[in-house]
């Protein structure tokens, strides 16, 4: 995807348009690919669920203020690496959490990385990062390859997209009810309906 795709101002629009695109990694000498089937949008302006809410700057959130088109990977609960796509122009902190993928390539590699025969390899943000070998080492990496990139695929019709509230952000009070989670209707790989 060209940088211009990520550097637009509407994080919700970009989040919906990421659905159906293909997240790819070539890490540890192995290629893995998965269709993006579930995402959540976060805005650094007036969104209590966002790490950079109201201009908050920390070492961890600094990457969110970069020009769109790079990765923001953070550690959740000190255990799970979560992959986000930074959007908007430099100085404005927006990001999209990729919550679930439908595996396309490298499923055997994913099973080895998970040390599991589980058929659900990428149906949640933590497990998809582990399956794809995504860690915080990729923070600030441009999404143009060679280690991580997003490939274009056919656009989805609006009727194929379900809009709902984000998961696990109850601390954000009224912002927890924002309809900023999007997923592909009837896709078996979505983390939760």
């Amino acid at each position: 995807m060209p940088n211009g795709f990520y550097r637009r101002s509407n994080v919700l629009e970009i989040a919906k348009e990421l659905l159906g695109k293909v997240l790819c990694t070539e890490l540890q000498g192995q290629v893995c690919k998965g269709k993006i089937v579930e995402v959540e949008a976060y805005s650094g302006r007036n969104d209590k669920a966002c790490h950079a809410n109201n201009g908050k700057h920390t070492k961890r959130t600094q990457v969110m203020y970069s020009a769109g088109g790079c990765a923001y990977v953070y550690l959740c609960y000190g255990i799970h690496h979560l992959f986000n796509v930074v959007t908007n122009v430099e100085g404005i902190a927006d990001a999209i959490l990729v919550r679930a993928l439908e595996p396309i390539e490298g499923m055997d590699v994913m099973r080895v990385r998970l040390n599991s025969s589980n058929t659900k390899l990428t149906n949640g943000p933590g497990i998809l990062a582990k399956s794809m070998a995504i860690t915080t080492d990729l923070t600030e990496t441009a999404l143009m390859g060679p280690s991580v990139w997003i490939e274009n695929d056919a656009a989805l019709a609006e009727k194929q997209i379900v809009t709902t509230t984000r998961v696990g952000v109850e601390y954000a009070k009224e912002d927890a009810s924002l309809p900023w989670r999007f997923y592909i209707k009837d896709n078996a790989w979505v983390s939760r309906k």
Side-chain angles (χ1 to χ4, degrees):
M1 299 298 305
N3 282 331
F5 173 84
Y6 305 107
R7 294 181 183 167
R8 296 174 290 151
S9 62
N10 189 330
V11 68
L12 300 177
E13 182 178 282
I14 299 167
K16 286 191 233 181
E17 291 177 15
L18 276 174
L19 293 174
K21 306 236 181 306
V22 179
L23 176 62
C24 311
T25 59
E26 186 169 354
L27 300 163
Q28 303 166 350
Q30 298 167 312
V31 174
C32 291
K33 296 184 179 188
K35 179 167 74 171
I36 299 171
V37 299
E38 181 185 0
V39 296
E40 289 179 347
Y42 291 87
S43 174
R45 297 157 316 287
N46 301 313
D47 176 9
K48 293 179 184 74
C50 181
H51 295 158
N53 181 43
N54 288 328
K56 182 178 179 182
H57 277 78
T58 65
K59 183 177 179 183
R60 179 171 84 165
T61 64
Q62 191 57 43
V63 66
M64 292 182 73
Y65 292 92
S66 300
C70 65
Y72 166 40
V73 184
Y74 67 91
L75 203 55
C76 182
Y77 305 124
I79 302 168
H80 306 291
H81 296 265
L82 303 187
F83 174 79
N84 295 259
V85 173
V86 174
T87 68
N88 218 318
V89 295
E90 185 173 356
I92 300 180
D94 289 344
I96 299 162
L97 172 66
V98 178
R99 286 195 52 85
L101 302 173
E102 179 180 329
I104 295 172
E105 182 179 334
M107 285 77 84
D108 290 341
V109 172
M110 294 177 190
R111 283 188 191 90
V112 169
R113 288 174 177 162
L114 291 174
N115 192 25
S116 173
S117 60
N118 186 350
T119 56
K120 294 293 186 181
L121 304 169
T122 53
N123 66 327
I127 195 170
L128 85 80
K130 189 170 183 180
S131 290
M132 301 286 284
I134 293 171
T135 67
T136 53
D137 291 340
L138 290 176
T139 290
E140 298 184 42
T141 301
L143 299 176
M144 302 293 284
S147 56
V148 61
W149 68 97
I150 295 175
E151 295 177 348
N152 202 355
D153 205 352
L156 298 176
E158 191 68 33
K159 67 182 180 182
Q160 295 175 278
I161 299 173
V162 175
T163 301
T164 187
T165 56
R166 296 174 290 188
V167 176
V169 295
E170 293 76 19
Y171 60 86
K173 300 181 181 168
E174 67 276 6
D175 290 344
S177 63
L178 291 171
W180 287 8
R181 180 167 70 104
F182 309 99
Y183 64 85
I184 297 176
K185 185 178 183 179
D186 299 326
N187 187 285
W189 293 89
V190 171
S191 67
R192 54 176 88 174
K193 307 285 183 187

